[in-house]
Amino acid sequence: MTDEKYLQIEPLLNTLKSNGRSYDFEKIKEAFVYAKELHEGQMRLSGEPYIMHPISVAEIVASLGLDTDSVCAAFLHDTVEDCPDKTNLDEITRIFGADVALLVDGVTKIKSINVEDKEEAQIESIRKMLLAMSKDIRVIFIKLCDRVHNMRTLYVKKDAKRRATALETMHVYAPLAHRLGMQKIKQELETYALQYLDPIGYNEIKAHIEEKYGRNVNFIENLQTNVTDELAKTSINFTLSGRVKTVYSVYRKMYNQNKSFDEIYDFYALRIIVDTELECYTVLGLIHEMYKSVPGRFKDYISTPKPNMYQSLHTTVIGKDGIPFEVQIRTREMHQIAEYGIAAHWKYKSGEKSTADIDTKLDWISKLIATEEEAIDPEDFMHAFKIDIFHDETFVFTPKGDVIALPLGSTLIDFAYKIHTGVGNKMVGGKINGRIAPIDSVPQNGNIVEIITSNASKGPSRDWLSIVKTGEARNKIRQWFKKEKRAENIVVGKSVIDKEFSYLRSLSEDDRTAIISTVAKRIGMTDADDLYNALGYGGASISKIEKKIRDEYDKQYKEKDVKEASPAVIEPTIAPTKKKYKSTGGVIIDGEEGCVVKFAKCCNPLPGEDIVGFITKGYGISIHKLDCPNVQAAFSNEEYVTRFVKAEWDTPSSSSYRAAYETSLQILVTNRISMLAEISGALADMKIDIVSLSTKNVEDTTLFNMTIACRDVSHFNSIISRLKSIKDVIRVTRTMGTR
Ligand code: MN
């Protein structure tokens, strides 16, 4: 390695050699030489040759222990953008392979983001977008290293630029590093950012620290000596280091947690790294023998790791002069994770993307579900990573640079309605990255999307309803038709009725209107035109009114004769007959042979509950719960009472004893992102099928209406109690159907 050409990257090569992984040194050197030639003649603002920047970034990347391709990409990360006449992605692919090109492209695409006037939610979207845009997490690692070096050299920039970069670092990149568990990078980013964002606060705390602890300059050294002497008496193989809390973490503790300077107990810390978990606890015992411990400050993150996988023992003890200090004890492996987080875990096998990789990801995410000490909303982060894996959302920019999140597969029309209803309704076209695109185009992550509107627009087209992906857009389009096109909708609605219900054709216009009008009123509308209109704009569906129209028709035209023929019986008792017959559905009906049984939707009876059969006209026997309100009402109706038959549950044979009975329930929960996942997870655990599901948000609660299939009433009760045991579930109730 004495070749003069590589003198500049000698330290980096040594770092790589010492970290125990295998590297393609020839490829790394080639990337360095290539980048150096391309950046030849370019200067940084500081006056240094430009190549110093990629070298520094590559050094930081190397210190994280990343692979050959990442180091190469670090050298090349600014070439495509800064030297467009000398190279491009195809060139990089040809020389260094598709993986390196992908990384370079990913880093190039992450543009600087103006976070100045953005709200918390927007910034969260930006972080998610960055993760989603980077199909390979190494892109984020390299970008973070790039940012570290830019922060180290930020002093050369102009004031306004400094502030913008520092703000973006504090709001976007430091939290990203934190969430990836990359402690060192996070601390460096925060320290630099704070210096530019609040120089007064930074200096005040710095001075405070120096004033209070300045006279104890040797405090940490003395501690180290004392503890080292004590540990040396044992056979434990250990590494010991001392640290002083960073200005930013003191700053944040003081400002966010509203603490005084004296309430910061972990300003000084000793870190003891040992070989085994058992030794961690042994060392802890020794420390507690040497120093008096501060009550309530012991934390065992070994048995209960933090969501970002951090493991360690923490305790706070009082040293000489009454100065408290924290002791952190962990194994070497735990230390790797603490310092480099996910980067320490990411193993890249060249080219192969196995499902095992995905499993590792998922495993890691599942650890994030637990709540973190600093309350950074792990659910949000979990969600962000789901995007990375499942890609269920697309993030696009408005021309102004705002980030809009859309469900995957959303079209330009969805985007337009997401921006504003008025934009959607006046939309005549759209552009993606400045180019005219068809309105049904699906924009990709990071695209800049623009909607062309015109006051001459005649409004949305009915076809859009089948193009749009989001319910939001669909509803808004329907609303428009409801409002603007009533006459047209009524014509459409009438023809729909005409087509679907041929039996109505024999009726006169007035009779037909009477039926439709009655049905309309039953579903809360004013008149028949309302219902026609709703059918026309899509606010009501045929399937919902089908049965109601049939019933109404039967009632008026079919049942008239039957009514007169029915003898009046007042007693609601049902006489048992001698013969019992097995029917379908696991029900035994008295005196009726081979009849078709169906379970009433109004009460969804379950095996184990008292039931009764009702002989319908032409639809077999419907089984109701005995206490079903409809049944109770019918008992006092002389016309119906004779049509009841005794019914009971058959004793099931083990083979047919399966979850086959549908029942509806309602779950009220406090809003939390993973709530539905937890509920469906609990049901999946119990092997319960969800037949249908709808949700409704009411302020900070959500109401889930679902139909599930279960075995019997005791099975159902066990499901209810399991659901009630889920955190933030307020109420679980069995519900009656709609009819
Ligand atoms: Mn750069």
Side-chain angles (χ1 to χ4, degrees), residues 223-240 272-274 282-283 286-287 290:
L223 268 183
Q224 278 177 266
T225 316
N226 294 343
V227 175
T228 303
D229 289 349
E230 201 60 31
L231 289 178
K233 294 177 190 163
T234 70
S235 60
I236 294 170
N237 170 29
F238 67 93
T239 314
L240 189 144
I272 304 166
I273 296 166
V274 295
T282 311
V283 170
L286 280 172
I287 296 293
M290 290 176 73

Side-chain angles (χ1 to χ4, degrees), residues 352-365:
E352 53 172 293
K353 287 222 164 70
S354 62
T355 48
D357 280 348
I358 304 280
D359 287 347
T360 321
K361 261 185 177 178
L362 286 171
D363 181 37
W364 187 71
I365 288 157

Side-chain angles (χ1 to χ4, degrees), residues 534-547:
L535 284 169
Y537 73 80
S541 66
I542 281 293
S543 64
K544 264 192 183 164
I545 56 165
E546 206 166 19
K547 187 150 176 24

